Amino acid sequence: MPTLEDCRALDAQDPLRALRDQFLIPEGVLYLDGNSLGVLPKAAPARIAEVVAREWGEGLIRSWNTASWFDLPQRLGDKVARLIGAAPGEVVCTDSTSVNLYKVLFAALSQQKDSGRKLVVSERSNFPTDLYIAESLCRERGFTLKLIEAGELQGPDSVLTDEVAVLMLTHVNYRTGAMHDMKAVTAAAHAAGALTVWDLAHSAGAVPVALNESNADYAIGCGYKYLNGGPGAPAFAWVHTRHAGKFEQPLSGWWGHAAPFEFTPHYRPAPGVARYLCGTQPVIALAGLECGLDTVLAAESFNGANGAMAALRAKSLALTDLFIQLVEERCAGQGLSLVTPREHARRGSQVCLSRDEGAYAIVQALIARGVIGDYRAGDSQMPDILRFGFTPLYLGFEDVWNSVEHLVQVLETGEWRRAEFNRKNAVT
Ligand SMILES: *Cc1c(COP(=O)(O)O)cnc(C)c1O
């Protein structure tokens, strides 16, 4: 079994260790929730203050041109592209993940409207907002949302039939941390005549993604999780170039117009992904997102042409492997089960554990000790989950050791049974 000394030795040999200096992390906090809200980049407070005081305060409206506010969604989109296997000009940063999903799913459904196909397929365990958006769009556009269990995509009884218009999946499942093989699933969907919509909320900045190589159709993702863009940061949208210039944008606002400052009375969509913009962009929030993106792109310097994600992935897997091994050895007999796949090719950058009793309270007891993970409620078909995200940018091997040490103590002392840890908060 690895010891604390072994973990320290791994940190000492870790070439990515210096990346942690890019962040402001409170003293005494072990942050295992970067999959929900990334930590604050050191550069962000000064950069945001500069945008407010100088660009807004002094530049005023001139800053749309002089401070390059106007092309922020595209410029940041090009940075995101480097992390998700897309090319420059294919991504915009804008709106929220939920809103972007509405836009891309609408576009995919429009492309299939004369195909006779009536089904949108997604997973029952997908993140609720994705299902809610799909539900209302299907109702509005005359499609039916079909929810499947994980694993129903493969095999001779695959749900991918000639009735399927769109396969809408989240690449890394938010509850379980299970990851799809994007290339194989996309190929299977295309063979069945369906288009794919991928949600990269738990992938962008967390695992390598190869959108173009996978031949995917549409993708969206989140700015405030592994991209460290700040609470409610703008999200992103990508579309394959074969659909660019063809797809419809249902929120046809003036920022997606081919010439917004001609002020013509009729909508004419901008070529390519720029039409995914709707209204005036949140400049201050975009400035925060750029600071976050730069913290991830800083890993490029460790892996040259292979990009930031290849370097980060190796460390992420080492961290999650270590966490799994330590939990299984040191918490044996404590009722915890591993939910996340062991197989590297099927694992995102998080580890989820389930327990029949006390999952919420155990997480609360850990938070009181400064070990911040989170809890996701189960139902009749899914267990309650303790969820731990591992961001290789700012977590080390000793952090993993210490997190497990706290978990061992919380379980062995029964500390989690205290009343204060069993009262539910509004945000879990
Ligand atoms: C986090 C997450 C979202 C968040 O959507 P918002 O519009 O930012 O609230 C959406 N989908 C998935 C799969 C997520 O994990």
Side-chain angles (χ1 to χ4, degrees):
M1 180 166 82
T3 62
L4 175 57
E5 282 61 44
D6 296 333
C7 294
R8 288 184 175 146
L10 287 170
D11 280 333
Q13 295 156 14
D14 172 19
L16 301 181
R17 199 167 40 135
L19 292 170
R20 183 187 166 93
D21 294 338
Q22 301 182 99
F23 299 96
L24 291 166
I25 303 175
E27 200 60 43
V29 165
L30 285 170
Y31 195 67
L32 307 182
D33 218 357
N35 50 316
S36 236
L37 175 64
V39 300
L40 174 64
K42 255 183 206 163
R47 176 65 192 133
I48 291 169
E50 186 188 24
V51 171
V52 172
R54 195 171 56 77
E55 298 183 7
W56 176 18
E58 293 170 23
L60 290 167
I61 198 158
R62 294 167 289 193
S63 288
W64 284 108
N65 294 312
T66 57
S68 299
W69 284 356
F70 190 69
D71 58 10
L72 267 173
Q74 283 89 348
R75 200 162 55 72
L76 270 52
D78 287 351
K79 291 192 174 190
V80 172
R82 278 149 63 185
L83 301 171
I84 58 174
E90 293 181 355
V91 180
V92 283
C93 291
T94 188
D95 295 330
S96 66
T97 308
S98 304
V99 171
N100 287 335
L101 179 64
Y102 182 87
K103 293 185 287 194
V104 299
L105 184 56
F106 183 102
L109 293 180
S110 300
Q111 275 180 267
Q112 293 283 40
K113 70 175 182 293
D114 300 323
S115 68
R117 296 162 175 267
K118 286 292 167 209
L119 291 182
V120 173
V121 170
S122 193
E123 289 178 315
R124 213 183 79 84
S125 63
N126 200 347
F127 191 79
T129 201
D130 297 49
L131 301 181
Y132 303 160
I133 294 277
E135 217 170 29
S136 71
L137 247 178
C138 284
R139 200 179 323 117
E140 211 174 295
R141 308 284 293 170
F143 289 82
T144 303
L145 178 61
K146 181 181 167 82
L147 298 185
I148 61 170
E149 305 302 324
E152 281 189 81
L153 287 172
Q154 284 86 26
D157 299 326
S158 168
V159 292
L160 291 171
T161 65
D162 61 5
E163 289 176 277
V164 179
V166 174
L167 176 62
M168 178 190 92
L169 293 174
T170 295
H171 181 225
V172 175
N173 187 281
Y174 82 105
R175 282 180 59 89
T176 63
M179 180 164 72
H180 284 291
D181 180 339
M182 182 183 285
K183 196 171 182 175
V185 171
T186 300
H190 286 175
L195 294 169
T196 53
V197 171
W198 290 99
D199 189 329
L200 305 179
H202 290 273
S203 307
V207 297
V209 178
L211 284 173
N212 278 320
E213 197 195 310
S214 301
N215 205 21
D217 297 288
Y218 293 91
I220 50 151
C222 186
Y224 54 78
K225 294 174 177 163
Y226 291 95
L227 298 180
N228 306 315
F236 64 86
W238 169 86
V239 55
H240 193 283
T241 47
R242 69 177 165 276
H243 305 306
K246 283 192 266 178
F247 61 95
E248 284 182 51
Q249 145 71 297
L251 304 175
S252 48
W254 70 308
W255 274 62
H257 193 280
F261 288 92
E262 283 178 10
F263 296 103
T264 57
H266 296 294
Y267 183 71
R268 188 159 44 88
V273 80
R275 72 181 58 175
Y276 270 141
L277 303 180
C278 181
T280 307
Q281 300 299 305
V283 170
I284 301 167
L286 284 163
L289 174 60
E290 182 160 32
C291 295
L293 288 171
D294 288 343
T295 62
V296 187
L297 290 169
E300 282 181 342
S301 61
F302 293 91
N303 220 33
N306 289 328
M309 290 319 303
L312 291 170
R313 177 63 169 166
K315 181 171 170 190
S316 156
L317 285 171
L319 291 171
T320 52
D321 275 344
L322 176 67
F323 184 79
I324 291 169
Q325 187 185 1
L326 288 174
V327 167
E328 290 189 331
E329 287 174 3
R330 302 195 61 209
C331 303
Q334 293 288 356
L336 294 172
S337 320
L338 179 68
V339 174
T340 303
R342 246 172 245 281
E343 200 188 323
H344 283 179
R346 297 199 51 233
R347 189 193 308 162
S349 199
Q350 70 190 51
V351 177
C352 301
L353 306 170
S354 68
R355 194 171 191 275
D356 290 342
E357 190 199 0
Y360 176 81
I362 294 166
V363 169
Q364 294 309 307
L366 285 171
I367 292 172
R369 288 165 167 265
V371 182
I372 304 182
D374 62 23
Y375 157 86
R376 288 292 174 261
D379 59 21
S380 59
Q381 296 179 47
M382 302 186 284
D384 288 351
I385 275 178
L386 300 86
R387 192 171 70 150
F388 303 100
F390 292 86
T391 307
L393 285 172
Y394 47 80
L395 285 173
F397 297 91
E398 185 173 349
D399 295 328
V400 172
W401 174 274
N402 289 333
S403 306
V404 176
E405 175 62 31
H406 282 289
L407 180 60
V408 168
Q409 289 177 20
V410 163
L411 290 166
E412 285 182 355
T413 61
E415 183 176 309
W416 61 274
R417 292 184 190 276
R418 300 214 308 246
E420 66 200 271
F421 299 136
N422 286 273
R423 276 189 292 270
K424 289 256 162 88
N425 295 318
V427 174
T428 61

Coordinates of all heavy atoms in Angstrom, one line a residue, residues 96-98 127 129-130 170 174 199 201-202 224-225, ligand 1:
S96 N -25.1 30.4 -21.3 CA -24.9 29.3 -20.4 C -24.9 27.9 -21.1 O -25.3 27.9 -22.3 CB -26.0 29.3 -19.3 OG -27.2 29.0 -19.9
T97 N -24.5 26.9 -20.5 CA -24.5 25.5 -21.1 C -25.9 25.2 -21.4 O -26.2 24.7 -22.5 CB -24.0 24.5 -20.0 OG1 -22.7 24.9 -19.6 CG2 -23.8 23.1 -20.7
S98 N -26.9 25.5 -20.5 CA -28.3 25.1 -20.8 C -28.8 25.9 -22.1 O -29.4 25.2 -23.0 CB -29.2 25.6 -19.7 OG -28.8 25.0 -18.5
F127 N -27.4 14.8 -16.9 CA -27.6 16.0 -16.1 C -29.0 16.5 -16.3 O -29.4 16.7 -17.5 CB -26.5 17.0 -16.3 CG -26.5 18.1 -15.3 CD1 -25.9 17.9 -14.1 CD2 -27.1 19.3 -15.6 CE1 -25.9 19.0 -13.1 CE2 -27.1 20.4 -14.6 CZ -26.5 20.2 -13.4
T129 N -30.6 19.4 -16.4 CA -30.9 20.5 -17.3 C -30.9 20.0 -18.8 O -31.7 20.5 -19.6 CB -30.0 21.7 -17.1 OG1 -30.6 22.9 -17.6 CG2 -28.6 21.6 -17.8
D130 N -30.0 19.1 -19.1 CA -30.0 18.6 -20.5 C -31.3 17.9 -20.9 O -31.8 18.1 -22.0 CB -28.8 17.6 -20.7 CG -27.5 18.3 -20.4 OD1 -27.3 19.0 -19.4 OD2 -26.6 18.1 -21.3
T170 N -23.9 13.3 -22.6 CA -22.8 14.0 -21.9 C -21.6 13.0 -21.9 O -21.8 11.8 -21.5 CB -23.3 14.3 -20.5 OG1 -24.4 15.3 -20.6 CG2 -22.2 15.0 -19.7
Y174 N -22.0 13.2 -15.0 CA -21.8 14.0 -13.9 C -21.9 13.2 -12.6 O -21.2 13.6 -11.6 CB -22.7 15.2 -13.8 CG -24.1 14.9 -13.3 CD1 -24.4 15.3 -12.0 CD2 -25.0 14.2 -14.0 CE1 -25.7 15.1 -11.5 CE2 -26.3 13.9 -13.5 CZ -26.6 14.3 -12.2 OH -27.8 14.1 -11.7
D199 N -22.3 16.9 -24.7 CA -22.1 17.9 -23.6 C -20.8 17.6 -23.0 O -20.5 16.5 -22.5 CB -23.3 17.8 -22.6 CG -23.2 18.9 -21.6 OD1 -22.1 19.4 -21.3 OD2 -24.3 19.3 -21.1
A201 N -19.4 19.3 -20.4 CA -19.4 20.0 -19.1 C -18.3 19.4 -18.2 O -17.6 20.1 -17.5 CB -20.7 20.0 -18.4
H202 N -18.2 18.0 -18.2 CA -17.2 17.4 -17.3 C -16.0 16.9 -18.1 O -15.2 16.0 -17.6 CB -17.9 16.3 -16.5 CG -18.8 16.8 -15.5 ND1 -18.4 17.2 -14.2 CD2 -20.1 17.1 -15.6 CE1 -19.5 17.6 -13.5 NE2 -20.5 17.6 -14.3
Y224 N -17.3 27.1 -16.0 CA -16.9 27.4 -14.6 C -16.5 26.1 -13.9 O -16.2 26.2 -12.7 CB -18.1 28.0 -13.9 CG -19.4 27.3 -14.0 CD1 -19.7 26.2 -13.2 CD2 -20.4 27.8 -14.8 CE1 -20.9 25.5 -13.3 CE2 -21.6 27.1 -14.9 CZ -21.9 26.0 -14.2 OH -23.1 25.4 -14.3
K225 N -16.4 25.0 -14.6 CA -16.0 23.7 -13.9 C -14.5 23.6 -14.0 O -13.7 24.4 -13.5 CB -16.8 22.5 -14.4 CG -18.3 22.7 -14.1 CD -19.1 21.6 -14.7 CE -20.6 21.8 -14.2 NZ -21.5 21.1 -15.0
Ligands
LIG1 C1 -22.8 21.5 -15.0 C2 -23.6 21.0 -16.1 C3 -24.5 21.9 -16.8 C4 -24.7 23.3 -16.2 O1 -25.6 24.0 -17.0 P1 -25.7 25.6 -16.6 O2 -26.5 26.1 -17.7 O3 -24.4 26.2 -16.5 O4 -26.4 25.6 -15.3 C5 -25.2 21.4 -17.9 N1 -25.0 20.1 -18.3 C6 -24.2 19.2 -17.7 C7 -24.0 17.9 -18.2 C8 -23.4 19.7 -16.5 O5 -22.6 18.9 -15.9

